[in-house]
Amino acid sequence: MEAEDWKGIAANYEGNILSVYDNDEDSKIESVIKELEVKKETAVDLGCGTGKFLPLLSKHFKKVQGCDYSEEMIEMAKKSHQHLENLNLDVCDLRASAPKIKPSDVALCINVILSPSISDREKIWLNVRKSVQTGGHLVLVAPSLESALYSKYRLVEWNIRNGDASSRALSGGFETKDEEGKIISRGGIIDCGGVPTKHYLEEELVCLAHRFGFKIKSAEKITYPWSTEFSNPPKWMKSPFPWDWLFLLEKQSVRNR
Ligand SMILES: C[S@@+](CC[C@H](N)C(=O)[O-])C[C@H]1O[C@@H](n2cnc3c(N)ncnc32)[C@H](O)[C@@H]1O
């Protein structure tokens, strides 16, 4: 996706985007941020969108930066959070060779590295690394490939419970355009409302974190209600719930090439 593509999405953000902030029912990100507050001065929200996490960061850190490559998102964030005196917001593309971001003690990167282009993702990872001080922390949230596949299974189960023949139940659950599973096996790219979106295996994030010079402090699931996957999910559809991966990473002095 390009910055332009987020234009319409910014205008109807609530309807279009799964808000991690609103659906993090156990407030796991807030707990992580509170723990990191101790002796930390600066924080940056990379790909801040409309800025849902900015008030939280502003409360816990002395100086906060927020950046996004969509001018519309930054405009909306400015309008909603103009009262936050310790906040600076800028338009910047995390794929650029030298985006204007000061390295911070803590960086948030919440569902931002979603591009289907591996070369774009590599550029973003490099800048994410540069945005954190050595010894500082990165709070990373990324869509789970395991959860996406599991959700498709729950849709198949739903079809079967409704009395569909199993082959129809299967084709109703899984994308028929990707019958051979090429897109998924090539790189975890799954169509989300018409947008090809990178999803990650837990082990893939472990390897990425290691390659970009981060130590893993914790890796857990943020679970969401089924209404984030399906409209009007049936009452019997309960746990295990769908999830994103939440990694807390500490920047090491060197990268592992
Ligand atoms: C799913 S939204 C998440 C927004 C916010 N982090 C949150 O959790 O509410 C993804 C955001 O990443 C931004 N984004 C994607 N690629 C980017 C890039 N290359 N540089 C800067 N921002 C980017 C988009 O504009 C969008 O606002």
Side-chain angles (χ1 to χ4, degrees), residues 86-126:
N86 58 348
L87 172 67
N88 258 311
L89 288 166
D90 283 307
V91 175
C92 91
D93 190 341
L94 289 166
R95 298 168 300 183
S97 54
K100 284 187 206 145
I101 303 165
K102 290 185 204 125
S104 293
D105 296 310
V106 171
L108 244 63
C109 188
I110 303 208
N111 278 347
V112 174
I113 317 179
L114 309 177
S115 169
S117 154
I118 192 162
S119 94
D120 282 355
R121 294 199 304 272
E122 288 285 306
K123 288 177 198 159
I124 296 176
W125 265 102
L126 274 178

Side-chain angles (χ1 to χ4, degrees), residues 154-155 157-159 161-162 233-239:
R154 293 307 306 257
L155 184 54
E157 183 190 2
W158 189 354
N159 289 336
R161 285 187 187 233
N162 279 349
K235 286 211 172 65
W236 54 258
M237 201 182 278
K238 295 207 168 86
S239 74

Side-chain angles (χ1 to χ4, degrees), residues 18 36 42 92 118 122 136 175:
L18 182 153
L36 292 174
T42 53
C92 91
I118 192 162
E122 288 285 306
E175 280 164 39

